[in-house]
């Protein structure tokens, strides 16, 4: 069965759609079959495409976010997805009201060499390139972990 990963941030218009698109591109390049999606803990931007400055920073590095649309995370996501990956500890705290914590992991745990404890929100920092670079490092580490898990199962 295909492994399913949901990325979660606050608005689902900056960090988590970028994490989804970057991880999808990197998984395809490695030949790893995954189901990927993203959602926000807040419903403010439901139905909207990713934030234009985030899309532009991603497009400059070859990632197309234009087809993605924001949605709000729901309790059913905890049944649908094998792992739920959050961008910061506020996201994790907000998700604790939605479903069990055992599936929830901080994205930065997959890029410990970065020294970052969370993915800073570029909607507020305006550092879209920095967020993208950290998300790329986290995605590489996540896919290393998925490949290592798959080797153990085999
Ligand atoms: P995200 O960034 O959680 O990375 O999508 C945000 C986008 C919008 C808002 C907050 C964070 N907002 O307050 O509208």
């Amino acid at each position: 069965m295909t492994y399913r990963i949901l990325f979660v941030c606050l608005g689902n218009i900056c960090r988590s759609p970028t994490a989804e698109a970057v991880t999808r591109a990197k998984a395809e390049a490695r030949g790893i079959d995954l189901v990927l999606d993203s959602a926000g803990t807040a419903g403010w931007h439901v139905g909207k495409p990713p934030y234009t400055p985030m899309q532009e920073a991603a497009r400059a590095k070859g990632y197309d976010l234009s087809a993605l649309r924001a949605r709000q995370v729901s309790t059913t996501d905890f049944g649908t997805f094998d792992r739920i990956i959050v961008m910061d500890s506020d996201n994790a705290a907000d998700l604790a009201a939605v479903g069990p914590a055992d599936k929830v992991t901080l994205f930065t745990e997959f890029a410990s060499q970065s020294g970052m404890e969370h993915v800073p929100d570029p909607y507020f920092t305006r550092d879209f390139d920095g967020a993208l670079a950290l998300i790329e490092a986290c995605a590489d580490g996540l896919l290393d972990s998925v490949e290592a898990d798959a080797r153990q199962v085999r």
Side-chain angles (χ1 to χ4, degrees), residues 7 18 28 30 35 44 47 63 66 90 109 111 122 144 146:
F7 298 98
T18 303
E28 281 173 14
R30 291 192 194 201
V35 171
W44 307 316
Y63 305 106
S66 63
D90 286 344
E109 283 189 17
D144 290 344
V146 168

Side-chain angles (χ1 to χ4, degrees), residues 9-15 44-45 121 123-124:
C9 64
L10 176 58
N12 193 212
I13 57 168
C14 291
R15 294 165 296 171
W44 307 316
H45 302 286
D121 193 338
Y123 192 78
F124 300 112

Side-chain angles (χ1 to χ4, degrees), residues 62-144:
Y63 305 106
D64 182 2
L65 274 54
S66 63
L68 303 178
R69 294 294 178 268
R71 72 174 181 87
Q72 190 169 15
V73 71
S74 76
T75 306
T76 57
D77 288 319
F78 281 79
T80 305
F81 291 92
D82 300 295
R83 286 185 105 143
I84 298 180
I85 295 184
V86 295
M87 302 298 132
D88 62 39
S89 51
D90 286 344
N91 305 149
D94 290 340
L95 279 184
V98 185
D102 58 332
K103 281 188 179 176
V104 179
T105 311
L106 268 170
F107 204 18
T108 48
E109 283 189 17
F110 299 102
S112 51
Q113 77 284 359
S114 70
M116 299 295 286
E117 288 184 4
H118 63 275
V119 182
D121 193 338
Y123 192 78
F124 300 112
T125 67
R126 312 309 290 175
D127 183 7
F128 296 94
D129 291 335
L132 178 61
L134 180 56
I135 286 167
E136 286 182 303
C138 295
D140 286 332
L142 170 62
L143 292 174
D144 290 344

